[in-house]
């Protein structure tokens, strides 16, 4: 007999089993994405993972849409590329650590803007977005996610395809993963098909020592996802008008892009679950999460449509799944990095 508990949402019944298994699935899926998005901007993997932990935890607890997942995203990561270029032009020889301090300050300022947006109750205007834009948003992201998988079929460096034996192995594992995700729900829905696919394919790779690309294989030499609890720190940058004018436009772009993606994702999950979230509450939660991310060595982020759809398709409807995903992600960083780095990228 299932046990239910009202957790944070007094009208929402929570199925512990579904929420926990879905959260675990999302946590495993978050690792490669957070690492990849951090590397897009040239940051260490932990910068993306810390952001995913903080963003996911804060928005899961205080956000306006139970079941929605937030973390480090590519939409935010690419914005930092322009900031980094500008900083290097203004200060030749600036080090990577100092650049990160500007990034953290930019994320904090973006979070403040998002909180103001929420307090002004502007989130309601997302309801005016036509369905055609929603469809374009979802399908466009699907195309981008699909195309982002192709680098996994190239040797490190991205110019030469994998050798034929490795290519066949990679294709075989990909097809097996897709088959499990598609076929298992037709047999039973008591266990998330995505989690089953991860477990089965990882077991095959580890037991039979299959030579294929793993998460560790995507990292640069000397890098690892192993770390401790996110360290707290105030960005060490000059607090003057010049600095403010440098980071202001990038903060505004991050705030805008983050809110648009988050509120569109909220709208989509609303339609799928036939419930209604609060855009204003989500905006405030996104802002608070970005502020804390900046203070705790994270690159910031926003809602993640892919992870949110994984979560809701597994049957998660409450906040517990997002909380579990964030906590499990931190557990992986602190205690399970050796195992997680062996996960195949298929």
């Amino acid at each position: 007999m299932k046990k239910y508990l009202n957790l944070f949402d007094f009208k929402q019944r929570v199925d512990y089993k579904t929420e926990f298994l879905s959260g675990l699935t999302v946590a495993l899926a978050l690792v490669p994405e957070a690492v990849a998005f951090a590397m897009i901007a040239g940051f260490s993997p932990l910068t993306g993972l810390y952001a995913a932990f903080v963003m996911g935890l804060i928005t899961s607890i205080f956000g306006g849409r139970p079941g929605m997942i937030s973390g480090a995203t590519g939409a935010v990561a690419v914005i930092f590329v322009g900031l980094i270029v500008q900083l290097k032009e203004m200060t030749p020889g600036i080090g990577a650590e100092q650049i990160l301090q500007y990034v953290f300050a930019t994320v904090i300022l973006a979070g403040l803007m998002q909180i103001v947006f929420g307090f002004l109750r502007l989130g309601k205007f997302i309801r005016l977005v036509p369905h055609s834009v929603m469809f374009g948003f979802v399908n466009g992201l699907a195309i981008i996610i699909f195309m982002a998988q192709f680098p996994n079929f190239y040797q490190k460096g991205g110019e030469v395809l994998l050798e034929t034996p490795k290519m066949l192995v990679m294709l075989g594992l990909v097809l097996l993963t897709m088959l499990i995700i598609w076929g298992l729900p037709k047999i039973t829905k008591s266990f998330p098909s995505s989690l089953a696919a991860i477990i089965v394919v990882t077991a095959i790779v580890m037991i039979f020592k299959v030579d294929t690309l793993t998460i560790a294989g995507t990292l640069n030499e000397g890098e690892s996802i192993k770390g401790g609890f996110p360290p707290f720190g105030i960005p060490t940058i000059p607090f003057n008008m010049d600095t403010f004018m440098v980071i202001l436009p990038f903060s505004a772009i991050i705030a805008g892009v983050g809110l648009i993606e988050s509120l569109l994702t909220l709208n989509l999950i609303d339609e799928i679950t036939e419930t209604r979230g609060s855009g204003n509450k989500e905006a405030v939660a996104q802002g608070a999460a970005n502020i804390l991310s900046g203070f705790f060595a994270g690159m910031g982020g926003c809602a993640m449509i892919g992870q949110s759809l994984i979560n809701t398709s597994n049957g998660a409807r409450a906040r517990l799944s997002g909380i579990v995903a964030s906590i499990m992600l931190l557990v992986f960083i602190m205690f399970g990095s050796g195992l997680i780095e062996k996960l195949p990228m298929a």
Side-chain angles (χ1 to χ4, degrees):
M1 183 176 181
K2 294 182 179 179
K3 295 182 179 179
Y4 297 97
L5 173 70
N6 292 327
L7 182 69
F8 302 111
D9 294 289
F10 296 107
K11 296 181 180 180
Q12 176 67 55
R13 295 190 306 173
V14 179
D15 182 343
Y16 279 123
K17 177 186 173 184
T18 299
E19 297 292 318
F20 179 81
L21 290 177
S22 185
L24 178 58
T25 305
V26 170
L28 289 169
L30 273 172
V31 175
E33 288 205 18
V35 171
F37 293 146
M39 295 177 70
I40 286 175
F43 305 146
S44 72
L46 286 175
T47 307
L49 291 169
Y50 285 153
F53 163 67
V54 175
M55 295 293 304
L57 184 62
I58 299 302
T59 57
S60 292
I61 296 175
F62 301 107
R65 170 70 267 173
M68 198 164 79
I69 304 297
S70 295
T73 60
V76 171
V78 296
I79 298 170
F80 291 126
V81 176
L83 174 63
I84 293 169
V85 170
Q86 184 168 330
L87 288 173
K88 288 183 176 179
E89 290 177 351
M90 294 176 56
T91 312
I94 186 172
E97 183 56 39
Q98 188 59 32
I99 287 176
L100 269 180
Q101 299 303 311
Y102 279 90
V103 167
F104 298 152
T106 303
V107 171
I108 292 170
L109 182 57
L112 289 171
M113 294 178 181
Q114 291 175 328
I115 288 179
V116 171
F117 182 94
F119 282 149
L120 293 177
R121 306 185 67 80
L122 300 177
K124 59 185 177 183
F125 290 111
I126 198 65
R127 305 289 176 187
L128 302 178
V129 175
H131 272 72
S132 56
V133 174
M134 284 290 298
F135 293 146
F137 170 68
V138 175
N139 291 322
L141 281 175
I143 293 171
I144 291 172
I145 292 171
F146 175 74
M147 295 180 64
Q149 309 311 308
F150 284 100
N152 294 325
F153 295 93
Y154 285 80
Q155 297 182 29
K156 203 161 187 178
E159 296 180 357
V160 181
L161 284 169
L162 293 172
E163 298 173 358
T164 301
K166 289 187 177 181
M167 177 66 78
L168 292 176
V169 168
M170 176 65 82
L171 289 172
L173 293 175
V174 169
L175 291 175
L176 176 59
T177 303
M178 294 171 64
L179 179 62
I180 295 173
I181 293 174
W182 171 79
L184 186 60
K186 299 181 182 298
I187 302 173
T188 177
K189 294 185 178 180
S190 62
F191 194 84
S193 59
S194 299
L195 181 57
I198 293 172
I199 293 173
V200 171
V201 175
T202 300
I204 290 173
V205 170
M206 296 181 68
I207 293 173
F208 296 100
K209 302 186 185 306
V210 178
D211 185 14
T212 188
L213 182 65
T214 62
I215 290 177
T218 65
L219 304 177
N220 296 321
E221 187 176 352
E223 289 184 334
S224 172
I225 69 168
K226 182 177 177 58
F229 191 85
F232 175 82
I234 299 174
T236 54
I237 60 173
F239 290 96
N240 53 43
M241 186 56 65
D242 290 338
T243 299
F244 179 74
M245 295 308 296
V246 169
I247 68 174
L248 177 62
F250 295 99
S251 294
I253 296 172
I254 290 171
V257 169
L259 283 176
I260 290 171
E261 183 166 349
S262 297
L263 295 179
L264 284 175
T265 301
L266 181 146
N267 223 10
L268 177 65
I269 302 302
D270 279 358
E271 292 194 12
I272 292 174
T273 60
E274 297 181 348
T275 57
R276 184 160 183 170
S278 170
N280 296 319
K281 189 175 180 181
E282 183 63 32
V284 173
Q286 290 287 333
N290 272 307
I291 291 172
L292 287 174
S293 178
F295 281 122
F296 283 93
M299 58 181 279
C302 60
M304 307 178 75
I305 185 171
Q307 312 302 335
S308 299
L309 289 176
I310 289 174
N311 198 37
T312 53
S313 66
N314 288 335
R317 294 292 183 271
R319 300 180 184 275
L320 183 59
S321 56
I323 296 171
V324 169
S326 302
I327 293 175
M328 289 305 300
L329 184 61
L330 182 62
V331 170
F332 295 157
I333 294 170
M334 298 179 68
F335 308 109
S337 60
L339 178 62
I340 298 302
E341 288 178 357
K342 295 178 182 179
L343 290 177
M345 292 297 290

